[in-house]
PDB file of all heavy atoms in Angstrom:
ATOM      1  N   VAL A   1      63.270  42.396  26.407  1.00 90.00           N
ATOM      2  CA  VAL A   1      64.567  42.000  26.870  1.00 90.00           C
ATOM      3  C   VAL A   1      65.536  42.146  25.740  1.00 90.00           C
ATOM      4  O   VAL A   1      65.247  41.647  24.599  1.00 90.00           O
ATOM      5  CB  VAL A   1      64.543  40.524  27.377  1.00 90.00           C
ATOM      6  CG1 VAL A   1      65.932  40.127  27.804  1.00 90.00           C
ATOM      7  CG2 VAL A   1      63.543  40.384  28.515  1.00 90.00           C
ATOM      8  N   TYR A   2      66.616  42.881  25.988  1.00 90.00           N
ATOM      9  CA  TYR A   2      67.663  43.052  24.981  1.00 90.00           C
ATOM     10  C   TYR A   2      69.015  42.619  25.538  1.00 90.00           C
ATOM     11  O   TYR A   2      69.398  42.982  26.690  1.00 90.00           O
ATOM     12  CB  TYR A   2      67.786  44.600  24.611  1.00 90.00           C
ATOM     13  CG  TYR A   2      66.497  45.118  24.116  1.00 90.00           C
ATOM     14  CD1 TYR A   2      65.644  45.803  24.935  1.00 90.00           C
ATOM     15  CD2 TYR A   2      66.135  45.020  22.787  1.00 90.00           C
ATOM     16  CE1 TYR A   2      64.424  46.342  24.498  1.00 90.00           C
ATOM     17  CE2 TYR A   2      64.949  45.618  22.321  1.00 90.00           C
ATOM     18  CZ  TYR A   2      64.098  46.223  23.150  1.00 90.00           C
ATOM     19  OH  TYR A   2      62.948  46.830  22.696  1.00 90.00           O
ATOM     20  N   TYR A   3      69.761  41.861  24.741  1.00 90.00           N
ATOM     21  CA  TYR A   3      71.103  41.399  25.155  1.00 90.00           C
ATOM     22  C   TYR A   3      72.061  41.948  24.123  1.00 90.00           C
ATOM     23  O   TYR A   3      71.874  41.717  22.892  1.00 90.00           O
ATOM     24  CB  TYR A   3      71.194  39.905  25.177  1.00 90.00           C
ATOM     25  CG  TYR A   3      72.599  39.381  25.410  1.00 90.00           C
ATOM     26  CD1 TYR A   3      73.264  39.798  26.554  1.00 90.00           C
ATOM     27  CD2 TYR A   3      73.248  38.637  24.481  1.00 90.00           C
ATOM     28  CE1 TYR A   3      74.625  39.286  26.749  1.00 90.00           C
ATOM     29  CE2 TYR A   3      74.519  38.152  24.688  1.00 90.00           C
ATOM     30  CZ  TYR A   3      75.193  38.550  25.826  1.00 90.00           C
ATOM     31  OH  TYR A   3      76.478  38.065  26.001  1.00 90.00           O
ATOM     32  N   ASP A   4      73.108  42.659  24.567  1.00 91.00           N
ATOM     33  CA  ASP A   4      74.152  43.154  23.728  1.00 91.00           C
ATOM     34  C   ASP A   4      75.463  42.450  24.026  1.00 91.00           C
ATOM     35  O   ASP A   4      76.108  42.747  25.040  1.00 91.00           O
ATOM     36  CB  ASP A   4      74.296  44.663  23.932  1.00 91.00           C
ATOM     37  CG  ASP A   4      75.448  45.308  23.126  1.00 91.00           C
ATOM     38  OD1 ASP A   4      76.023  44.603  22.391  1.00 91.00           O
ATOM     39  OD2 ASP A   4      75.627  46.500  23.355  1.00 91.00           O
ATOM     40  N   PRO A   5      75.851  41.456  23.142  1.00 89.00           N
ATOM     41  CA  PRO A   5      77.052  40.681  23.432  1.00 89.00           C
ATOM     42  C   PRO A   5      78.306  41.579  23.311  1.00 89.00           C
ATOM     43  O   PRO A   5      79.302  41.266  23.976  1.00 89.00           O
ATOM     44  CB  PRO A   5      77.003  39.594  22.424  1.00 89.00           C
ATOM     45  CG  PRO A   5      76.148  40.112  21.291  1.00 89.00           C
ATOM     46  CD  PRO A   5      75.181  41.041  21.956  1.00 89.00           C
ATOM     47  N   ILE A   6      78.278  42.567  22.486  1.00 93.00           N
ATOM     48  CA  ILE A   6      79.537  43.393  22.337  1.00 93.00           C
ATOM     49  C   ILE A   6      79.673  44.334  23.575  1.00 93.00           C
ATOM     50  O   ILE A   6      80.744  44.439  24.107  1.00 93.00           O
ATOM     51  CB  ILE A   6      79.476  44.188  21.068  1.00 93.00           C
ATOM     52  CG1 ILE A   6      79.479  43.239  19.866  1.00 93.00           C
ATOM     53  CG2 ILE A   6      80.581  45.225  20.979  1.00 93.00           C
ATOM     54  CD1 ILE A   6      79.164  43.826  18.506  1.00 93.00           C
ATOM     55  N   GLY A   7      78.594  44.958  23.936  1.00 94.00           N
ATOM     56  CA  GLY A   7      78.622  45.829  25.127  1.00 94.00           C
ATOM     57  C   GLY A   7      78.467  45.064  26.442  1.00 94.00           C
ATOM     58  O   GLY A   7      78.658  45.659  27.544  1.00 94.00           O
ATOM     59  N   GLU A   8      78.103  43.735  26.340  1.00 93.00           N
ATOM     60  CA  GLU A   8      78.018  42.931  27.506  1.00 93.00           C
ATOM     61  C   GLU A   8      76.983  43.503  28.485  1.00 93.00           C
ATOM     62  O   GLU A   8      77.238  43.675  29.686  1.00 93.00           O
ATOM     63  CB  GLU A   8      79.288  42.642  28.229  1.00 93.00           C
ATOM     64  CG  GLU A   8      80.270  41.848  27.357  1.00 93.00           C
ATOM     65  CD  GLU A   8      81.541  41.477  28.022  1.00 93.00           C
ATOM     66  OE1 GLU A   8      81.928  42.114  29.053  1.00 93.00           O
ATOM     67  OE2 GLU A   8      82.219  40.565  27.569  1.00 93.00           O
ATOM     68  N   THR A   9      75.795  43.805  27.936  1.00 94.00           N
ATOM     69  CA  THR A   9      74.727  44.296  28.759  1.00 94.00           C
ATOM     70  C   THR A   9      73.432  43.541  28.501  1.00 94.00           C
ATOM     71  O   THR A   9      73.156  43.033  27.422  1.00 94.00           O
ATOM     72  CB  THR A   9      74.428  45.792  28.527  1.00 94.00           C
ATOM     73  OG1 THR A   9      74.057  45.945  27.186  1.00 94.00           O
ATOM     74  CG2 THR A   9      75.606  46.667  28.841  1.00 94.00           C
ATOM     75  N   LEU A  10      72.609  43.363  29.549  1.00 93.00           N
ATOM     76  CA  LEU A  10      71.307  42.770  29.459  1.00 93.00           C
ATOM     77  C   LEU A  10      70.336  43.887  29.959  1.00 93.00           C
ATOM     78  O   LEU A  10      70.501  44.362  31.130  1.00 93.00           O
ATOM     79  CB  LEU A  10      71.181  41.562  30.351  1.00 93.00           C
ATOM     80  CG  LEU A  10      69.798  40.892  30.359  1.00 93.00           C
ATOM     81  CD1 LEU A  10      69.620  40.172  29.021  1.00 93.00           C
ATOM     82  CD2 LEU A  10      69.720  39.911  31.516  1.00 93.00           C
ATOM     83  N   THR A  11      69.428  44.293  29.113  1.00 95.00           N
ATOM     84  CA  THR A  11      68.488  45.351  29.448  1.00 95.00           C
ATOM     85  C   THR A  11      67.066  44.753  29.451  1.00 95.00           C
ATOM     86  O   THR A  11      66.684  44.077  28.508  1.00 95.00           O
ATOM     87  CB  THR A  11      68.555  46.488  28.421  1.00 95.00           C
ATOM     88  OG1 THR A  11      69.921  46.922  28.341  1.00 95.00           O
ATOM     89  CG2 THR A  11      67.665  47.631  28.828  1.00 95.00           C
ATOM     90  N   VAL A  12      66.341  45.044  30.475  1.00 95.00           N
ATOM     91  CA  VAL A  12      64.953  44.562  30.654  1.00 95.00           C
ATOM     92  C   VAL A  12      64.078  45.716  30.892  1.00 95.00           C
ATOM     93  O   VAL A  12      64.283  46.509  31.877  1.00 95.00           O
ATOM     94  CB  VAL A  12      64.831  43.487  31.773  1.00 95.00           C
ATOM     95  CG1 VAL A  12      63.375  43.056  31.950  1.00 95.00           C
ATOM     96  CG2 VAL A  12      65.763  42.335  31.533  1.00 95.00           C
ATOM     97  N   TRP A  13      63.011  45.878  30.104  1.00 95.00           N
ATOM     98  CA  TRP A  13      62.005  46.936  30.270  1.00 95.00           C
ATOM     99  C   TRP A  13      60.685  46.271  30.621  1.00 95.00           C
ATOM    100  O   TRP A  13      60.199  45.381  29.953  1.00 95.00           O
ATOM    101  CB  TRP A  13      61.816  47.758  28.992  1.00 95.00           C
ATOM    102  CG  TRP A  13      63.033  48.607  28.598  1.00 95.00           C
ATOM    103  CD1 TRP A  13      63.981  48.324  27.718  1.00 95.00           C
ATOM    104  CD2 TRP A  13      63.267  49.911  29.149  1.00 95.00           C
ATOM    105  NE1 TRP A  13      64.844  49.335  27.646  1.00 95.00           N
ATOM    106  CE2 TRP A  13      64.432  50.302  28.564  1.00 95.00           C
ATOM    107  CE3 TRP A  13      62.680  50.721  30.095  1.00 95.00           C
ATOM    108  CZ2 TRP A  13      65.058  51.567  28.796  1.00 95.00           C
ATOM    109  CZ3 TRP A  13      63.264  51.949  30.416  1.00 95.00           C
ATOM    110  CH2 TRP A  13      64.441  52.327  29.729  1.00 95.00           C
ATOM    111  N   PHE A  14      60.034  46.720  31.704  1.00 92.00           N
ATOM    112  CA  PHE A  14      58.680  46.278  31.994  1.00 92.00           C
ATOM    113  C   PHE A  14      57.747  47.481  32.053  1.00 92.00           C
ATOM    114  O   PHE A  14      56.648  47.390  32.512  1.00 92.00           O
ATOM    115  CB  PHE A  14      58.594  45.464  33.295  1.00 92.00           C
ATOM    116  CG  PHE A  14      59.605  45.767  34.332  1.00 92.00           C
ATOM    117  CD1 PHE A  14      59.350  46.769  35.243  1.00 92.00           C
ATOM    118  CD2 PHE A  14      60.812  45.157  34.374  1.00 92.00           C
ATOM    119  CE1 PHE A  14      60.252  47.141  36.191  1.00 92.00           C
ATOM    120  CE2 PHE A  14      61.738  45.505  35.342  1.00 92.00           C
ATOM    121  CZ  PHE A  14      61.494  46.511  36.246  1.00 92.00           C
ATOM    122  N   GLY A  15      58.268  48.577  31.595  1.00 90.00           N
ATOM    123  CA  GLY A  15      57.519  49.825  31.435  1.00 90.00           C
ATOM    124  C   GLY A  15      57.872  50.384  30.052  1.00 90.00           C
ATOM    125  O   GLY A  15      58.672  49.800  29.325  1.00 90.00           O
ATOM    126  N   ASN A  16      57.321  51.514  29.732  1.00 92.00           N
ATOM    127  CA  ASN A  16      57.566  52.130  28.446  1.00 92.00           C
ATOM    128  C   ASN A  16      58.889  52.835  28.468  1.00 92.00           C
ATOM    129  O   ASN A  16      59.153  53.727  29.250  1.00 92.00           O
ATOM    130  CB  ASN A  16      56.463  53.211  28.176  1.00 92.00           C
ATOM    131  CG  ASN A  16      56.595  53.861  26.802  1.00 92.00           C
ATOM    132  OD1 ASN A  16      57.609  53.633  26.132  1.00 92.00           O
ATOM    133  ND2 ASN A  16      55.645  54.590  26.425  1.00 92.00           N
ATOM    134  N   PRO A  17      59.892  52.428  27.629  1.00 93.00           N
ATOM    135  CA  PRO A  17      61.207  53.054  27.617  1.00 93.00           C
ATOM    136  C   PRO A  17      61.122  54.527  27.384  1.00 93.00           C
ATOM    137  O   PRO A  17      62.017  55.295  27.810  1.00 93.00           O
ATOM    138  CB  PRO A  17      61.913  52.353  26.449  1.00 93.00           C
ATOM    139  CG  PRO A  17      61.234  50.986  26.315  1.00 93.00           C
ATOM    140  CD  PRO A  17      59.776  51.261  26.675  1.00 93.00           C
ATOM    141  N   ASP A  18      60.107  55.028  26.640  1.00 95.00           N
ATOM    142  CA  ASP A  18      60.023  56.466  26.397  1.00 95.00           C
ATOM    143  C   ASP A  18      59.707  57.273  27.669  1.00 95.00           C
ATOM    144  O   ASP A  18      59.884  58.469  27.738  1.00 95.00           O
ATOM    145  CB  ASP A  18      58.926  56.730  25.417  1.00 95.00           C
ATOM    146  CG  ASP A  18      59.263  56.225  24.010  1.00 95.00           C
ATOM    147  OD1 ASP A  18      60.473  56.053  23.723  1.00 95.00           O
ATOM    148  OD2 ASP A  18      58.314  55.903  23.230  1.00 95.00           O
ATOM    149  N   ASP A  19      59.245  56.571  28.743  1.00 96.00           N
ATOM    150  CA  ASP A  19      58.958  57.239  30.037  1.00 96.00           C
ATOM    151  C   ASP A  19      60.144  57.338  30.952  1.00 96.00           C
ATOM    152  O   ASP A  19      60.052  57.943  32.030  1.00 96.00           O
ATOM    153  CB  ASP A  19      57.860  56.447  30.785  1.00 96.00           C
ATOM    154  CG  ASP A  19      56.514  56.495  30.103  1.00 96.00           C
ATOM    155  OD1 ASP A  19      56.302  57.430  29.300  1.00 96.00           O
ATOM    156  OD2 ASP A  19      55.658  55.620  30.341  1.00 96.00           O
ATOM    157  N   GLU A  20      61.356  56.895  30.500  1.00 96.00           N
ATOM    158  CA  GLU A  20      62.564  57.022  31.259  1.00 96.00           C
ATOM    159  C   GLU A  20      62.880  58.448  31.558  1.00 96.00           C
ATOM    160  O   GLU A  20      62.957  59.292  30.667  1.00 96.00           O
ATOM    161  CB  GLU A  20      63.728  56.338  30.517  1.00 96.00           C
ATOM    162  CG  GLU A  20      65.024  56.424  31.345  1.00 96.00           C
ATOM    163  CD  GLU A  20      66.187  55.900  30.526  1.00 96.00           C
ATOM    164  OE1 GLU A  20      66.030  55.199  29.524  1.00 96.00           O
ATOM    165  OE2 GLU A  20      67.294  56.052  31.034  1.00 96.00           O
ATOM    166  N   TYR A  21      63.108  58.703  32.870  1.00 97.00           N
ATOM    167  CA  TYR A  21      63.408  60.129  33.286  1.00 97.00           C
ATOM    168  C   TYR A  21      64.765  60.208  33.929  1.00 97.00           C
ATOM    169  O   TYR A  21      65.501  61.160  33.662  1.00 97.00           O
ATOM    170  CB  TYR A  21      62.287  60.600  34.261  1.00 97.00           C
ATOM    171  CG  TYR A  21      62.545  61.987  34.771  1.00 97.00           C
ATOM    172  CD1 TYR A  21      62.421  63.051  34.002  1.00 97.00           C
ATOM    173  CD2 TYR A  21      62.885  62.173  36.093  1.00 97.00           C
ATOM    174  CE1 TYR A  21      62.638  64.350  34.520  1.00 97.00           C
ATOM    175  CE2 TYR A  21      63.110  63.427  36.633  1.00 97.00           C
ATOM    176  CZ  TYR A  21      62.947  64.520  35.849  1.00 97.00           C
ATOM    177  OH  TYR A  21      63.195  65.754  36.290  1.00 97.00           O
ATOM    178  N   ILE A  22      65.068  59.190  34.706  1.00 97.00           N
ATOM    179  CA  ILE A  22      66.375  59.201  35.434  1.00 97.00           C
ATOM    180  C   ILE A  22      66.848  57.773  35.614  1.00 97.00           C
ATOM    181  O   ILE A  22      66.088  56.828  35.638  1.00 97.00           O
ATOM    182  CB  ILE A  22      66.234  59.905  36.821  1.00 97.00           C
ATOM    183  CG1 ILE A  22      67.584  60.199  37.418  1.00 97.00           C
ATOM    184  CG2 ILE A  22      65.367  59.086  37.755  1.00 97.00           C
ATOM    185  CD1 ILE A  22      67.549  61.171  38.568  1.00 97.00           C
ATOM    186  N   CYS A  23      68.205  57.638  35.730  1.00 96.00           N
ATOM    187  CA  CYS A  23      68.804  56.329  35.996  1.00 96.00           C
ATOM    188  C   CYS A  23      69.549  56.400  37.267  1.00 96.00           C
ATOM    189  O   CYS A  23      70.077  57.440  37.651  1.00 96.00           O
ATOM    190  CB  CYS A  23      69.742  55.947  34.834  1.00 96.00           C
ATOM    191  SG  CYS A  23      68.958  55.759  33.284  1.00 96.00           S
ATOM    192  N   GLU A  24      69.598  55.237  37.896  1.00 96.00           N
ATOM    193  CA  GLU A  24      70.360  55.132  39.206  1.00 96.00           C
ATOM    194  C   GLU A  24      71.105  53.862  39.207  1.00 96.00           C
ATOM    195  O   GLU A  24      70.631  52.780  38.956  1.00 96.00           O
ATOM    196  CB  GLU A  24      69.307  55.066  40.368  1.00 96.00           C
ATOM    197  CG  GLU A  24      69.885  54.874  41.683  1.00 96.00           C
ATOM    198  CD  GLU A  24      68.789  54.726  42.780  1.00 96.00           C
ATOM    199  OE1 GLU A  24      67.777  55.381  42.672  1.00 96.00           O
ATOM    200  OE2 GLU A  24      69.015  53.907  43.647  1.00 96.00           O
ATOM    201  N   GLU A  25      72.470  53.990  39.397  1.00 94.00           N
ATOM    202  CA  GLU A  25      73.374  52.825  39.388  1.00 94.00           C
ATOM    203  C   GLU A  25      73.476  52.279  40.768  1.00 94.00           C
ATOM    204  O   GLU A  25      73.617  52.996  41.800  1.00 94.00           O
ATOM    205  CB  GLU A  25      74.768  53.225  38.853  1.00 94.00           C
ATOM    206  CG  GLU A  25      75.597  51.989  38.694  1.00 94.00           C
ATOM    207  CD  GLU A  25      76.936  52.234  37.948  1.00 94.00           C
ATOM    208  OE1 GLU A  25      77.172  53.386  37.477  1.00 94.00           O
ATOM    209  OE2 GLU A  25      77.696  51.349  37.836  1.00 94.00           O
ATOM    210  N   THR A  26      73.364  50.947  40.856  1.00 93.00           N
ATOM    211  CA  THR A  26      73.552  50.308  42.196  1.00 93.00           C
ATOM    212  C   THR A  26      74.951  49.798  42.380  1.00 93.00           C
ATOM    213  O   THR A  26      75.779  49.869  41.381  1.00 93.00           O
ATOM    214  CB  THR A  26      72.535  49.088  42.330  1.00 93.00           C
ATOM    215  OG1 THR A  26      72.984  48.075  41.381  1.00 93.00           O
ATOM    216  CG2 THR A  26      71.126  49.471  41.958  1.00 93.00           C
ATOM    217  N   ARG A  27      75.280  49.236  43.453  1.00 89.00           N
ATOM    218  CA  ARG A  27      76.607  48.676  43.697  1.00 89.00           C
ATOM    219  C   ARG A  27      76.843  47.324  42.983  1.00 89.00           C
ATOM    220  O   ARG A  27      77.993  46.833  42.905  1.00 89.00           O
ATOM    221  CB  ARG A  27      76.835  48.534  45.186  1.00 89.00           C
ATOM    222  CG  ARG A  27      76.860  49.798  45.903  1.00 89.00           C
ATOM    223  CD  ARG A  27      77.193  49.660  47.369  1.00 89.00           C
ATOM    224  NE  ARG A  27      77.140  50.939  48.013  1.00 89.00           N
ATOM    225  CZ  ARG A  27      77.010  51.088  49.305  1.00 89.00           C
ATOM    226  NH1 ARG A  27      76.954  50.077  50.072  1.00 89.00           N
ATOM    227  NH2 ARG A  27      76.988  52.290  49.781  1.00 89.00           N
ATOM    228  N   GLU A  28      75.750  46.745  42.505  1.00 91.00           N
ATOM    229  CA  GLU A  28      75.877  45.379  41.921  1.00 91.00           C
ATOM    230  C   GLU A  28      76.024  45.495  40.358  1.00 91.00           C
ATOM    231  O   GLU A  28      75.567  44.561  39.674  1.00 91.00           O
ATOM    232  CB  GLU A  28      74.641  44.555  42.302  1.00 91.00           C
ATOM    233  CG  GLU A  28      74.619  44.219  43.743  1.00 91.00           C
ATOM    234  CD  GLU A  28      74.038  45.329  44.593  1.00 91.00           C
ATOM    235  OE1 GLU A  28      73.237  46.070  44.076  1.00 91.00           O
ATOM    236  OE2 GLU A  28      74.375  45.393  45.744  1.00 91.00           O
ATOM    237  N   GLU A  29      76.438  46.586  39.849  1.00 95.00           N
ATOM    238  CA  GLU A  29      76.591  46.810  38.380  1.00 95.00           C
ATOM    239  C   GLU A  29      75.215  46.700  37.651  1.00 95.00           C
ATOM    240  O   GLU A  29      75.059  46.099  36.623  1.00 95.00           O
ATOM    241  CB  GLU A  29      77.579  45.887  37.717  1.00 95.00           C
ATOM    242  CG  GLU A  29      79.011  46.077  38.220  1.00 95.00           C
ATOM    243  CD  GLU A  29      79.991  45.307  37.474  1.00 95.00           C
ATOM    244  OE1 GLU A  29      79.698  44.126  37.129  1.00 95.00           O
ATOM    245  OE2 GLU A  29      81.138  45.732  37.354  1.00 95.00           O
ATOM    246  N   VAL A  30      74.182  47.231  38.379  1.00 97.00           N
ATOM    247  CA  VAL A  30      72.861  47.268  37.795  1.00 97.00           C
ATOM    248  C   VAL A  30      72.376  48.733  37.737  1.00 97.00           C
ATOM    249  O   VAL A  30      72.577  49.452  38.698  1.00 97.00           O
ATOM    250  CB  VAL A  30      71.889  46.390  38.643  1.00 97.00           C
ATOM    251  CG1 VAL A  30      70.430  46.573  38.178  1.00 97.00           C
ATOM    252  CG2 VAL A  30      72.225  44.953  38.665  1.00 97.00           C
ATOM    253  N   ILE A  31      71.817  49.099  36.619  1.00 97.00           N
ATOM    254  CA  ILE A  31      71.300  50.476  36.508  1.00 97.00           C
ATOM    255  C   ILE A  31      69.778  50.364  36.421  1.00 97.00           C
ATOM    256  O   ILE A  31      69.194  49.641  35.643  1.00 97.00           O
ATOM    257  CB  ILE A  31      71.855  51.117  35.224  1.00 97.00           C
ATOM    258  CG1 ILE A  31      73.385  51.275  35.237  1.00 97.00           C
ATOM    259  CG2 ILE A  31      71.124  52.456  34.985  1.00 97.00           C
ATOM    260  CD1 ILE A  31      73.982  51.693  34.019  1.00 97.00           C
ATOM    261  N   LEU A  32      69.185  51.104  37.337  1.00 97.00           N
ATOM    262  CA  LEU A  32      67.692  51.113  37.414  1.00 97.00           C
ATOM    263  C   LEU A  32      67.226  52.360  36.585  1.00 97.00           C
ATOM    264  O   LEU A  32      67.644  53.484  36.754  1.00 97.00           O
ATOM    265  CB  LEU A  32      67.190  51.290  38.821  1.00 97.00           C
ATOM    266  CG  LEU A  32      67.673  50.193  39.819  1.00 97.00           C
ATOM    267  CD1 LEU A  32      67.113  50.542  41.241  1.00 97.00           C
ATOM    268  CD2 LEU A  32      67.125  48.828  39.361  1.00 97.00           C
ATOM    269  N   MET A  33      66.286  52.086  35.692  1.00 97.00           N
ATOM    270  CA  MET A  33      65.697  53.206  34.878  1.00 97.00           C
ATOM    271  C   MET A  33      64.308  53.474  35.531  1.00 97.00           C
ATOM    272  O   MET A  33      63.514  52.614  35.770  1.00 97.00           O
ATOM    273  CB  MET A  33      65.484  52.769  33.408  1.00 97.00           C
ATOM    274  CG  MET A  33      66.815  52.754  32.668  1.00 97.00           C
ATOM    275  SD  MET A  33      67.737  51.307  32.771  1.00 97.00           S
ATOM    276  CE  MET A  33      66.958  50.227  31.625  1.00 97.00           C
ATOM    277  N   LYS A  34      64.118  54.822  35.795  1.00 97.00           N
ATOM    278  CA  LYS A  34      62.898  55.196  36.487  1.00 97.00           C
ATOM    279  C   LYS A  34      62.107  56.233  35.731  1.00 97.00           C
ATOM    280  O   LYS A  34      62.749  57.010  34.930  1.00 97.00           O
ATOM    281  CB  LYS A  34      63.238  55.786  37.866  1.00 97.00           C
ATOM    282  CG  LYS A  34      63.970  54.823  38.762  1.00 97.00           C
ATOM    283  CD  LYS A  34      64.286  55.422  40.103  1.00 97.00           C
ATOM    284  CE  LYS A  34      64.967  54.480  41.028  1.00 97.00           C
ATOM    285  NZ  LYS A  34      65.216  55.075  42.409  1.00 97.00           N
ATOM    286  N   ASP A  35      60.798  56.335  35.955  1.00 97.00           N
ATOM    287  CA  ASP A  35      60.002  57.362  35.329  1.00 97.00           C
ATOM    288  C   ASP A  35      60.015  58.564  36.276  1.00 97.00           C
ATOM    289  O   ASP A  35      60.667  58.558  37.235  1.00 97.00           O
ATOM    290  CB  ASP A  35      58.566  56.809  35.100  1.00 97.00           C
ATOM    291  CG  ASP A  35      57.784  56.411  36.363  1.00 97.00           C
ATOM    292  OD1 ASP A  35      58.216  56.718  37.492  1.00 97.00           O
ATOM    293  OD2 ASP A  35      56.774  55.755  36.198  1.00 97.00           O
ATOM    294  N   ARG A  36      59.232  59.615  35.858  1.00 97.00           N
ATOM    295  CA  ARG A  36      59.217  60.860  36.630  1.00 97.00           C
ATOM    296  C   ARG A  36      58.741  60.664  38.048  1.00 97.00           C
ATOM    297  O   ARG A  36      59.086  61.408  38.984  1.00 97.00           O
ATOM    298  CB  ARG A  36      58.356  61.853  35.983  1.00 97.00           C
ATOM    299  CG  ARG A  36      59.006  62.470  34.746  1.00 97.00           C
ATOM    300  CD  ARG A  36      58.127  63.643  34.209  1.00 97.00           C
ATOM    301  NE  ARG A  36      58.813  64.260  33.069  1.00 97.00           N
ATOM    302  CZ  ARG A  36      59.666  65.239  33.127  1.00 97.00           C
ATOM    303  NH1 ARG A  36      60.011  65.721  34.303  1.00 97.00           N
ATOM    304  NH2 ARG A  36      60.232  65.752  32.005  1.00 97.00           N
ATOM    305  N   ALA A  37      57.847  59.658  38.287  1.00 97.00           N
ATOM    306  CA  ALA A  37      57.337  59.438  39.606  1.00 97.00           C
ATOM    307  C   ALA A  37      58.252  58.591  40.509  1.00 97.00           C
ATOM    308  O   ALA A  37      58.000  58.362  41.716  1.00 97.00           O
ATOM    309  CB  ALA A  37      55.980  58.707  39.520  1.00 97.00           C
ATOM    310  N   GLY A  38      59.422  58.143  39.975  1.00 96.00           N
ATOM    311  CA  GLY A  38      60.381  57.358  40.683  1.00 96.00           C
ATOM    312  C   GLY A  38      60.156  55.924  40.598  1.00 96.00           C
ATOM    313  O   GLY A  38      60.816  55.115  41.286  1.00 96.00           O
ATOM    314  N   ASN A  39      59.146  55.488  39.777  1.00 96.00           N
ATOM    315  CA  ASN A  39      58.880  53.989  39.645  1.00 96.00           C
ATOM    316  C   ASN A  39      59.976  53.385  38.740  1.00 96.00           C
ATOM    317  O   ASN A  39      60.251  53.996  37.669  1.00 96.00           O
ATOM    318  CB  ASN A  39      57.465  53.786  39.042  1.00 96.00           C
ATOM    319  CG  ASN A  39      56.464  54.418  39.895  1.00 96.00           C
ATOM    320  OD1 ASN A  39      56.378  54.179  41.102  1.00 96.00           O
ATOM    321  ND2 ASN A  39      55.537  55.208  39.316  1.00 96.00           N
ATOM    322  N   VAL A  40      60.445  52.265  39.131  1.00 96.00           N
ATOM    323  CA  VAL A  40      61.364  51.506  38.301  1.00 96.00           C
ATOM    324  C   VAL A  40      60.638  50.916  37.112  1.00 96.00           C
ATOM    325  O   VAL A  40      59.657  50.194  37.262  1.00 96.00           O
ATOM    326  CB  VAL A  40      62.132  50.395  39.134  1.00 96.00           C
ATOM    327  CG1 VAL A  40      62.994  49.621  38.131  1.00 96.00           C
ATOM    328  CG2 VAL A  40      62.892  51.010  40.208  1.00 96.00           C
ATOM    329  N   ILE A  41      61.067  51.282  35.903  1.00 96.00           N
ATOM    330  CA  ILE A  41      60.399  50.770  34.650  1.00 96.00           C
ATOM    331  C   ILE A  41      61.329  49.838  33.848  1.00 96.00           C
ATOM    332  O   ILE A  41      60.929  49.305  32.812  1.00 96.00           O
ATOM    333  CB  ILE A  41      59.858  51.911  33.830  1.00 96.00           C
ATOM    334  CG1 ILE A  41      60.969  52.827  33.387  1.00 96.00           C
ATOM    335  CG2 ILE A  41      58.745  52.645  34.516  1.00 96.00           C
ATOM    336  CD1 ILE A  41      60.582  53.893  32.404  1.00 96.00           C
ATOM    337  N   GLY A  42      62.575  49.668  34.376  1.00 96.00           N
ATOM    338  CA  GLY A  42      63.446  48.833  33.701  1.00 96.00           C
ATOM    339  C   GLY A  42      64.844  48.736  34.400  1.00 96.00           C
ATOM    340  O   GLY A  42      65.009  49.500  35.378  1.00 96.00           O
TER     341      GLY A  42
END
């Protein structure tokens, strides 16, 4: 879990960040980080 008070972001990884392949933004100001298989890893 990473909190950036200057950028005002909260980032949570429950998978390996190095496996990030694509990001998808939702309507709720949340960005989903996914691996190549499409699994959400953060």
